[in-house]
Amino acid sequence: MKQANEEVAKDEVKNEVTSLSLEQSCFNKDWILRLYQEEYIKHFICLICKQIANNPMEIECPQHASMDESLISGEHCLKLFLKDNNNSCPIQPHDNCQYSRNNVVRRQIGDLTVICIRQFEQELKTAHETEGEGETPGLIKCDFKGKLKDLNTHLTNECRLNLVNCWFESFGCNHTCFKHNLNNHLIENMKLHFDLVTRLLQSMKQEIQLKDKYIIEKDNQIKQMERNFQQELLKYRVDIETIKKDFNEKEKHILSNHDKLVKLLEEKNAKLTQNYEQLLQKSNQHKEEEKN
Ligand SMILES: [Zn+2]
Ligand SMILES: [Zn+2]
Ligand SMILES: [Zn+2]
Ligand SMILES: [Zn+2]
């Protein structure tokens, strides 16, 4: 039972290693072992993940000088380990771990002959799915066999197992297939692709019509606002005229009242002056009469 669990755990590690980016993680040992004996690759093993070291670094602390094995680790594994373990050495815990690039091993690993990693993954997958049923008919194969350092170029440029998106992806076709199958898909689905393009054009047209409608509505609203404003302005002008007229009339009224008042006062003044003069005369007459 314990053994079965271990198998599963090992399987998970393997999958994780292969699915990580080739640029960073170490290489699946089982993949390399397809073309080599265990003995041949034992000096390329990453001491952290036990797979084939990618960008090998050599650990050179003086503490391990007596160890009789190559102390190689993949660059990514080592950096991750140091980061997670407070810079403590992966061989035995101590500070100030010393390491450097090992260019010889790097070149040797780069020169290893490998099969296509996608082909390897596909074989793992189908072996899992069709256990004991033999080869699945009609399955595409990549027969690449070349140097590990040339694999990335193969994967991006010429691998038959390279999945590509349909040219009509932006129109809504979610199909992905191997590069060499794309032509078939394009020919067989011309109607579907045509319909996708037509549908997109239709929806764009509708959107444009909606926008047009919106613009016309806004235009009408602006015109209505202008009309309202003009009317308001007219009303204000009439109001101002009325107020002016009213004011003029009131002014006139006040002025005429004022004139009348002045006249009345003048008349009263004249009468008072007259009365005073008469009184003065009378008083003079009295004085004359008394003298006589
Ligand atoms: Zn590693
Ligand atoms: Zn060390
Ligand atoms: Zn390939
Ligand atoms: Zn398509």
Side-chain angles (χ1 to χ4, degrees), residues 116 142 154 159:
C116 175
C142 173
H154 161 73
C159 182

Side-chain angles (χ1 to χ4, degrees), residues 213-229:
K213 216 175 125 194
Y214 178 76
I215 288 172
I216 291 171
E217 266 171 27
K218 284 277 153 206
D219 198 44
N220 283 342
Q221 275 178 14
I222 290 171
K223 279 183 184 150
Q224 183 61 46
M225 275 163 76
E226 273 174 4
R227 276 198 295 273
N228 288 351
F229 177 71

Side-chain angles (χ1 to χ4, degrees), residues 164-167 169 172-177 181-182 185 189 193:
V164 290
N165 293 329
C166 172
W167 289 353
E169 192 196 4
C173 179
N174 291 326
H175 182 83
T176 53
C177 60
N181 284 341
L182 186 62
H185 167 75
N189 294 283
H193 293 147

Side-chain angles (χ1 to χ4, degrees), residues 18-34:
T18 39
S19 56
L20 271 171
S21 154
L22 272 177
E23 315 260 319
Q24 287 207 323
S25 63
C26 291
F27 306 113
N28 189 320
K29 192 172 111 185
D30 290 345
W31 168 48
I32 308 289
L33 280 175
R34 284 289 175 97

Side-chain angles (χ1 to χ4, degrees), residues 54-106:
N54 187 3
N55 295 332
M57 308 296 283
E58 188 165 12
I59 296 173
E60 302 169 315
C61 326
Q63 288 93 324
H64 324 302
S66 60
M67 282 177 85
D68 185 31
E69 53 191 280
S70 45
L71 302 176
I72 294 293
S73 155
E75 187 175 5
H76 182 65
C77 284
L78 181 60
K79 292 210 166 135
L80 214 63
F81 185 93
L82 293 174
K83 192 174 150 236
D84 292 345
N85 292 280
N86 207 10
N87 278 327
S88 175
C89 174
I91 294 169
Q92 60 185 57
H94 67 83
D95 290 340
N96 197 18
C97 179
Q98 289 174 32
Y99 53 88
S100 70
R101 260 169 80 118
N102 187 319
N103 284 328
V104 177
V105 178
R106 194 170 290 227

